[in-house]
Amino acid sequence: MFSQKTLWGSLIALVVLAGTSGITLAEMPAHSSEQSSQFQRIEQPLGLKVGVAIAGLALIGLELWWFLLYKSPDS
């Protein structure tokens, strides 16, 4: 169905696109007139952010492997 080269290329492209758009949105300055006292920004450690991102990518990889690449022993 899919070659491994195509699958890895798609995953890398997805990570690059998601990573660059996330950084761009996160670094946009907030206008003081648009800020509300309803929400308060909570700074998270970089290690936590990286850990959550890696765990998410690992789960996505596991799902792709399970549904696209796994061959049951019966077949």
Side-chain angles (χ1 to χ4, degrees):
M1 183 189 282
F2 292 106
S3 70
Q4 283 189 346
K5 189 175 184 180
T6 304
L7 181 64
W8 283 111
S10 298
L11 283 174
I12 291 170
L14 179 64
V15 168
V16 168
L17 288 174
T20 55
S21 65
I23 291 170
T24 305
L25 292 175
E27 293 179 355
M28 289 179 59
H31 298 291
S32 59
S33 62
E34 294 179 11
Q35 288 183 343
S36 170
S37 62
Q38 182 179 5
F39 298 106
Q40 182 179 358
R41 181 179 206 96
I42 300 174
E43 291 298 324
Q44 299 293 328
L46 180 62
L48 180 63
K49 293 178 184 179
V50 171
V52 168
I54 290 172
L57 290 173
L59 288 172
I60 290 171
L62 179 65
E63 289 179 18
L64 288 173
W65 172 78
W66 182 264
F67 290 110
L68 299 178
L69 302 174
Y70 178 72
K71 306 242 187 300
S72 65
D74 298 337
S75 57

